[in-house]
Amino acid sequence: MEPPTNPGDSPVDLELTVENVESALYQLYFDPDMERKNVAQKWLTQAQASAQAWQFCWALLGPDKLPEVQFFGASTLHTKISRHWSDLPTDQHEGLRVQLLSHILHFSSGPKMVLTRLCVALAAMALNLIPQAWSQPVADMVRAFQPQKPDSEGVSGAEATQDPHAHCLALLELLTVLPEEFQSSRLAQARRAQLRESLAGEWAVVCPMLRQLLQSQDSTNQVKEKVLRCLSSWVGLDVPLGESHELVQDCFTALSNPELFDTAVETIVNAISQPDCQRYIDALVNLMPLVLGLHDQLKTAAQDGDMETSHGICRIAVAMGETHSRVLLEQVEHWQEYLALVNMILFCTGIPGHYPVSETTSSLTLTFWYTLQDDILSFEEEKQAVYLQVYRPVYFQLVDVLLHKSHYPSQEDYASWSSDDKEQFRIYRVDISDTLMYVYEMLGAELLSNLYDRLGRQLMDPQQSSVWQDTEALLFGFQSIAETIDVNYSDVIPGLIGLIPRINISNVMLADTVMYTIGSLAEWLADHPVMLGGILPMVLQGLVKAELSVSSVSTLKRICRECRHDLGPYAQDILTVSQDVLVKEVHKSSQCMWLMQALGFLLSALPVEEILVRLHSLITPHIQQLDTLAQQEPNPSNKQSIIHILGMLSSLFTTLDINRQADSLEGAPSPRLTPSQSSQNPVVVVLQQVFTLIQTILSKWLDDSEVVEAVCGVFDKSVRTLLHDFGPMVAQLSGMLGQIYSAFPQASALDLARQMVHIFSGEEHHVSNIKSLIEVLTSATLTIFQQGPRDHPDIAESFMHLHAQILKRKPDLYLSNQLDVKALFYCGILSLKFPETPTVKAGSLFFTELLPRCKDMPLLGDVLQRDGKLLTETILQAVGGGSPRSLTEHFSEVLLSLNRHCPALLSQWLKETLQTPGFPSAQVSTEQKHTFSQQLLREQTNKRHVKEIVKEFSLLCRGLQGSGY
């Protein structure tokens, strides 16, 4: 059959006939040209929406048609019934039902995809008619599928002689999709409740039939699997477990059939995971022996390495134990059964094998232990004590099991794992770590003592086997707890700190954990600095090894941050080793940044006169390298080295803050002089010394945004850390920023200028520098806006943030006759038209800072009078569909600000702009626009309410009101 040459260019051009629909389907399925496929798809979607679709869908279901064509016919039926039901006259409902049932019987032998789609269509029809027009749909469906004599009313002889087995499967398919269609349909709340009640009433017909089929000797595995899936589907309707627990019990017999095992597990888990089940305690108690009865099958599966079976049984045990933990705990007369279930789950947690390579079951159980603990600790004190007596020993066993499961495999095995397996194992260990931390709440200090005693025996007793995994697991347990729980009171930490240096860290995995454990104790070491001497050499030993890069550097950083005031005696050692590894490039770039931050903390706490000497010694090799690179012609490898060194300086200056040290020495005998009183801040001294070098680098790399960003980063971090101490650099830096931005505008320069405005615009002796800088930056940026800023959303965003900051901190700068306020206002309007969220957000912020100033500053007031209407129009156009819906909340903030500060003008602008027909959208009526204006003008305070008003109007403009958004 020839497909139409171009169906869908204009659907009107092509008559809606069965032949044309088939041609379009051929084009959709078999044409290699994607554009033609898309045209066909669009045309077919329009065809489905047409009134003729009620007729042509039956022709497409003819027995001589291709399965793809039949499928489209069935899908069209479903679309019409679910979305265009009101188009069908009531007197045609009965005929449609008979016809649908007849087709389902006809397709009961296949194709499966057509049968399922027809069943979904009938389910959708039932949902439209229940309960008034179709009071007993399930009973009627069952009756329609009963074996009938050829002359039976409504069913032709050909259909009656079809295979009863196929009919049975078709009926089960229909009963399975009925609740699924209900769950996926968009329904009003009241209608959903009414339908749920009606369908739940039908369960009384479905349940006995499913039981009979599941127990029958004649039922094939195929039928039994369908029964299980059908039960799963109905369970989603919260059908009462009390009425179906016998059917759920029957499902357990299917677990012994390998073909049905997976489906039976899914069904049982779905059935017992319904929270509603807790109302049927007797039913739950009756199911318990069946769950416990799976323990032997579980053990056999675990021994045989049958991962699928152990996984499935574990899911059932966890569903039972976790969903109904509290209810089952409260059945005191059955306490031994529940304890047996808990032990069964403990067996699953400790199942033999290494996750995720030889087992995937243990991870399923971890959340159960949280639930059980929460439920036990939620009982009142007396009751809780009884439960703790029973379950604390189980939780101590759990800790042993979890530590064993966290063991690394041998290095040979681990080397053979894929990177994906290693990553899954890492995440699994994080989950175990979280569980251990949680369990600590129940077991308390005894848990730490327990771990410490075992570690002590391992390290001190020559009889103990020295398996590195055992030591690593115990340290991992310690670290998991110390990472989040305050262990300052614990009496075992001094002993642990004493034991750590005895550990042989030749194994990388063990050494990593040793480092992280030391890091987790950094706060404890800050309170017990006498212990630093024994532990620091170990960290420095790790620092020189590239394979311990992440753990050793992060640990040193934590120690330098927490213990910096006590590191004086060790500063020389730390700096010597650090300088050595930095010069030898032992670590990757990101770890070098962390290391520089660590050294910043360390230097901050040294005497001021010492800092500059040590700082020079630390950075001189890198500055020399930077000088060499600056002389060379630009190339990609130079660039990365320059960015790396500038990044290291930025990282160092982020944490090198001598004022922080003065603040922390409260009650010191004599107040220290701050640098501004005595001498310049060491960071400023260094920056002044390297300033010429940085200018040289910029002269060669001015058009490279990454290098300029790295240079700005050095100053930005310094400004943020030093605050007013950065003052001596303001004049130099302002001049340089103006020059580089005029030559090659970049967002990072605007961001740095914003920091300088934030800190120095209030200081009289810096104002003229800041003012000149702002005038240069603004003039250069206005040129970009005049040429078309669309390709520079980052510059537009940073420019708006800069001017919002000026308006907030130093609005007097706007009195300069060098600043074109009208042009700035227009830049703000252009920024609101960008599709990028950060730019729109910055533009909105600019206006919310500008509008409150309009009353006090006539210059701004005049601009608002003249261009406020354009601003209002721009916002309405954006809200009405010109911008993505996610941005409406930012526009609503500007509208609220306009309404607060110039309500009379806003009222006039709204009236003038909204009276234009079809503005901001043809979807809204004059009345709706008037309502929006009135609602908006009434609200001058409640930001949330304005957001709702604007969001509602935006949905109306886009034709999305009431569509589920």
Side-chain angles (χ1 to χ4, degrees):
M1 180 191 299
E2 278 296 308
T5 51
N6 212 351
D9 268 0
S10 169
V12 182
D13 300 345
L14 202 61
E15 197 186 342
L16 257 176
T17 61
V18 175
E19 289 73 24
N20 283 337
V21 172
E22 278 194 76
S23 296
L25 282 166
Y26 273 74
Q27 192 165 308
L28 176 65
Y29 288 122
F30 307 118
D31 195 318
D33 184 340
M34 275 313 294
E35 205 170 316
R36 284 168 63 79
K37 278 180 184 291
N38 291 337
V39 170
Q41 167 99 32
K42 194 174 174 185
W43 187 84
L44 287 165
T45 305
Q46 290 169 333
Q48 278 189 323
S50 70
Q52 297 99 301
W54 287 107
Q55 280 74 48
F56 73 64
C57 59
W58 299 110
L60 297 175
L61 285 162
D64 55 332
K65 303 294 183 192
L66 277 178
E68 289 85 354
V69 174
Q70 294 171 331
F71 177 77
F72 183 77
S75 292
T76 302
L77 253 177
H78 175 245
T79 303
K80 300 307 289 180
I81 291 169
S82 56
R83 295 187 195 164
H84 307 114
W85 181 246
S86 55
D87 299 349
L88 193 70
T90 314
D91 59 0
Q92 291 181 28
H93 290 177
E94 185 54 33
L96 177 64
R97 184 170 73 175
V98 169
Q99 213 170 351
L100 254 175
L101 276 167
S102 165
H103 274 76
I104 289 171
L105 285 165
H106 174 76
F107 279 97
S108 59
S109 302
K112 171 80 167 61
M113 62 179 184
V114 182
L115 171 66
T116 300
R117 216 71 208 125
L118 287 169
C119 289
V120 172
L122 184 58
M125 183 178 182
L127 296 181
N128 284 322
L129 297 174
I130 296 171
Q132 291 85 355
W134 196 357
S135 55
Q136 295 180 311
V138 172
D140 292 346
M141 289 171 188
V142 172
R143 200 174 305 113
F145 282 84
Q146 295 292 333
Q148 293 175 22
K149 291 172 187 164
D151 60 345
S152 290
E153 191 184 335
V155 180
S156 71
E159 282 155 1
T161 56
Q162 281 189 0
D163 179 6
H165 177 252
H167 280 196
C168 177
L169 289 171
L171 173 61
L172 287 169
E173 180 69 19
L174 184 52
L175 294 178
T176 303
V177 300
L178 182 58
E180 288 171 356
E181 181 68 5
F182 165 75
Q183 302 285 19
S184 63
S185 296
R186 274 189 184 163
L187 298 162
Q189 203 171 350
R191 176 66 178 149
R192 183 170 285 282
Q194 182 191 34
L195 274 174
R196 185 184 288 279
E197 192 183 338
S198 299
L199 287 172
E202 297 287 279
W203 181 238
V205 181
V206 179
C207 185
M209 185 185 83
L210 296 183
R211 271 206 86 184
Q212 185 186 344
L213 286 170
L214 199 55
Q215 290 176 339
S216 166
Q217 299 293 315
D218 300 333
S219 294
T220 60
N221 280 348
Q222 204 182 356
V223 167
K224 287 181 178 178
E225 186 177 3
K226 266 276 170 235
V227 168
L228 293 167
R229 289 190 191 282
C230 188
L231 169 56
S232 239
S233 177
W234 280 81
V235 158
L237 295 175
D238 298 334
V239 293
L241 184 67
E243 291 173 24
S244 46
H245 72 275
E246 289 161 325
L247 176 55
V248 178
Q249 286 175 11
D250 293 341
C251 295
F252 278 84
T253 58
L255 291 169
S256 55
N257 182 334
E259 283 184 44
L260 299 176
F261 181 82
D262 290 343
T263 314
V265 167
E266 204 62 50
T267 303
I268 293 167
V269 168
N270 285 343
I272 58 182
S273 296
Q274 300 299 319
D276 191 52
C277 297
Q278 295 178 4
R279 288 170 33 209
Y280 307 99
I281 292 166
D282 289 348
L284 282 173
V285 169
N286 289 337
L287 288 173
M288 187 70 97
L290 294 170
V291 178
L292 295 176
L294 299 171
H295 205 155
D296 288 341
Q297 193 180 349
L298 172 67
K299 283 179 180 169
T300 308
Q303 280 165 4
D304 298 346
D306 178 355
M307 283 162 72
E308 283 75 16
T309 302
S310 49
H311 196 85
I313 294 174
C314 173
R315 283 185 63 201
I316 293 171
V318 169
M320 190 71 164
E322 192 171 342
T323 315
H324 310 296
S325 160
R326 190 177 180 92
V327 170
L328 293 169
L329 278 170
E330 285 173 335
Q331 307 313 304
V332 181
E333 65 279 16
H334 295 285
W335 72 272
Q336 284 169 306
E337 283 185 9
Y338 189 58
L339 180 59
L341 180 66
V342 171
N343 279 313
M344 184 174 169
I345 295 172
L346 182 63
F347 175 82
C348 294
T349 308
I351 205 153
H354 262 111
Y355 183 92
V357 174
S358 50
E359 68 91 3
T360 54
T361 300
S362 55
S363 61
L364 302 175
T365 64
L366 298 179
T367 52
F368 164 76
W369 299 108
Y370 287 71
T371 307
L372 178 60
Q373 178 174 314
D374 285 347
D375 287 334
I376 290 171
L377 297 182
S378 69
F379 288 124
E380 68 278 3
E381 214 167 312
E382 279 181 40
K383 203 170 180 184
Q384 193 185 113
V386 176
Y387 284 107
L388 285 174
Q389 211 174 341
V390 175
Y391 286 101
R392 260 176 72 92
V394 177
Y395 271 82
F396 273 112
Q397 277 179 276
L398 172 67
V399 171
D400 290 348
V401 165
L402 290 175
L403 291 178
H404 183 72
K405 291 298 292 182
S406 71
H407 273 199
Y408 279 98
S410 70
Q411 277 175 297
E412 300 76 45
D413 285 352
Y414 191 64
S416 71
W417 284 17
S418 69
S419 57
D420 191 40
D421 285 339
K422 287 177 180 174
E423 176 59 10
Q424 280 196 52
F425 182 58
R426 185 193 66 77
I427 294 167
Y428 176 66
R429 278 175 51 106
V430 170
D431 292 341
I432 286 179
S433 174
D434 292 344
T435 311
L436 287 169
M437 181 266 292
Y438 205 77
V439 164
Y440 180 83
E441 191 185 346
M442 184 187 267
L443 303 182
E446 198 181 333
L447 171 55
L448 287 178
S449 305
N450 186 313
L451 294 176
Y452 172 67
D453 291 344
R454 286 169 61 185
L455 185 64
R457 283 198 300 277
Q458 267 186 30
L459 296 174
M460 308 297 282
D461 183 354
Q463 299 302 310
Q464 287 279 327
S465 61
S466 54
V467 178
W468 68 265
Q469 285 97 331
D470 293 339
T471 309
E472 193 280 333
L474 288 167
L475 285 173
F476 172 72
F478 261 114
Q479 178 216 329
S480 303
I481 295 159
E483 201 64 73
T484 40
I485 284 161
D486 180 10
V487 292
N488 271 4
Y489 64 87
S490 170
D491 53 0
V492 304
I493 303 299
L496 173 64
I497 296 279
L499 283 176
I500 285 177
R502 293 175 165 274
I503 298 170
N504 174 355
I505 61 167
S506 55
N507 178 280
V508 175
M509 273 87 114
L510 173 56
D512 253 338
T513 304
V514 168
M515 292 298 149
Y516 287 127
T517 306
I518 296 170
S520 70
L521 297 170
E523 286 180 38
W524 186 91
L525 287 165
D527 292 334
H528 306 83
V530 70
M531 306 298 280
L532 278 165
I535 215 86
L536 259 175
M538 211 163 182
V539 178
L540 297 179
Q541 191 187 336
L543 199 63
V544 299
K545 297 181 179 177
E547 62 272 21
L548 299 181
S549 184
V550 177
S551 59
S552 61
V553 173
S554 65
T555 295
L556 182 63
K557 182 180 166 184
R558 289 176 80 166
I559 289 174
C560 288
R561 186 179 64 217
E562 300 300 336
C563 313
R564 57 182 176 273
H565 302 298
D566 301 295
L567 289 176
Y570 316 105
Q572 186 58 56
D573 289 347
I574 294 172
L575 282 162
T576 304
V577 175
S578 299
Q579 282 169 281
D580 191 46
V581 298
L582 287 168
V583 171
K584 288 179 178 168
E585 298 182 358
V586 171
H587 302 292
K588 288 182 181 166
S589 188
S590 52
Q591 275 73 55
C592 292
M593 305 306 154
W594 292 359
L595 184 50
M596 281 305 224
Q597 287 176 14
L599 300 176
F601 286 124
L602 174 69
L603 291 171
S604 301
L606 296 178
V608 175
E609 57 279 6
E610 237 184 90
I611 294 177
L612 193 55
V613 180
R614 293 195 181 277
L615 183 57
H616 267 135
S617 132
L618 171 64
I619 65 173
T620 299
H622 307 292
I623 299 300
Q624 286 170 346
Q625 190 190 351
L626 197 58
D627 197 13
T628 309
L629 291 164
Q631 308 310 320
Q632 296 170 3
E633 283 309 303
N635 68 54
S637 97
N638 285 0
K639 173 178 158 177
Q640 287 315 314
S641 302
I642 289 170
I643 289 171
H644 172 72
I645 294 170
L646 292 171
M648 291 207 302
L649 292 176
S650 297
S651 299
L652 179 63
F653 298 156
T654 303
T655 54
L656 207 172
D657 181 9
I658 59 177
N659 290 331
R660 189 193 282 134
Q661 169 206 16
D663 295 343
S664 62
L665 293 172
E666 292 167 20
S670 61
R672 283 188 139 173
L673 290 176
T674 60
S676 50
Q677 291 170 299
S678 57
S679 59
Q680 284 192 345
N681 188 297
V683 172
V684 171
V685 175
V686 169
L687 286 174
Q688 286 174 331
Q689 289 168 351
V690 299
F691 200 80
T692 313
L693 172 56
I694 284 176
Q695 283 179 309
T696 309
I697 290 168
L698 281 173
S699 67
K700 292 193 175 181
W701 292 92
L702 194 55
D703 58 349
D704 190 297
S705 61
E706 289 175 74
V707 175
V708 174
E709 198 173 317
V711 167
C712 291
V714 173
F715 292 107
D716 184 69
K717 296 291 190 291
S718 308
V719 174
R720 287 168 187 267
T721 308
L722 302 184
L723 302 175
H724 297 283
D725 284 355
F726 188 83
M729 295 293 303
V730 169
Q732 268 178 301
L733 184 56
S734 298
M736 185 181 85
L737 265 185
Q739 285 170 356
I740 64 172
Y741 190 81
S742 300
F744 204 86
Q746 302 202 12
S748 50
L750 295 172
D751 295 335
L752 177 51
R754 184 172 92 223
Q755 282 303 323
M756 291 168 70
V757 168
H758 177 61
I759 293 159
F760 297 109
S761 59
E763 294 186 16
E764 210 47 53
H765 53 294
H766 291 309
V767 167
S768 64
N769 286 315
I770 298 289
K771 180 171 176 287
S772 305
L773 173 61
I774 296 307
E775 287 169 0
V776 170
L777 297 179
T778 301
S779 167
T781 312
L782 289 179
T783 307
I784 294 175
F785 270 90
Q786 281 159 6
Q787 292 165 350
R790 184 62 204 92
D791 295 336
H792 307 284
D794 54 337
I795 289 178
E797 177 196 343
S798 296
F799 187 60
M800 288 294 106
H801 274 305
L802 170 61
H803 276 276
Q805 185 72 268
I806 294 167
L807 286 161
K808 190 174 184 177
R809 307 288 293 190
K810 194 71 176 168
D812 302 359
L813 292 177
Y814 270 54
L815 300 174
S816 158
N817 48 16
Q818 298 294 315
L819 280 186
D820 185 343
V821 179
K822 185 181 179 198
L824 284 170
F825 195 93
Y826 193 63
C827 289
I829 289 175
L830 285 175
S831 300
L832 295 178
K833 293 184 175 184
F834 275 76
E836 287 85 1
T837 302
T839 311
V840 174
K841 197 173 176 182
S844 303
L845 180 66
F846 168 69
F847 282 114
T848 52
E849 291 293 348
L850 181 140
L851 293 168
R853 306 275 179 198
C854 290
K855 276 183 187 165
D856 312 331
M857 299 178 70
L859 190 68
L860 294 180
D862 293 347
V863 173
L864 180 64
Q865 286 270 5
R866 193 172 52 239
D867 289 329
K869 181 181 172 184
L870 179 61
L871 171 63
T872 309
E873 193 178 308
T874 302
I875 291 173
L876 291 175
Q877 191 170 10
V879 166
S883 290
R885 251 182 342 110
S886 56
L887 300 178
T888 47
E889 70 171 278
H890 304 302
F891 300 125
S892 67
E893 286 175 14
V894 184
L895 288 170
L896 175 62
S897 192
L898 281 165
N899 199 23
R900 271 184 188 160
H901 302 291
C902 50
L905 285 169
L906 178 63
S907 173
Q908 179 193 329
W909 294 330
L910 284 171
K911 191 175 178 183
E912 289 171 9
T913 50
L914 289 174
Q915 71 186 12
T916 310
F919 180 85
S921 156
Q923 304 262 14
V924 279
S925 64
T926 308
E927 190 184 337
Q928 286 170 324
K929 290 194 272 189
H930 178 71
T931 306
F932 165 66
S933 295
Q934 294 308 304
Q935 286 179 326
L936 188 62
L937 292 166
R938 271 200 298 270
E939 190 52 83
Q940 291 192 336
T941 51
N942 190 327
K943 191 187 278 192
R944 187 178 57 80
H945 194 205
V946 171
K947 280 182 184 173
E948 283 169 9
I949 293 166
V950 176
K951 181 185 171 187
E952 197 78 8
F953 185 64
S954 181
L955 289 172
L956 276 173
C957 290
R958 296 163 199 261
L960 295 172
Q961 184 62 2
S963 64
Y965 282 97

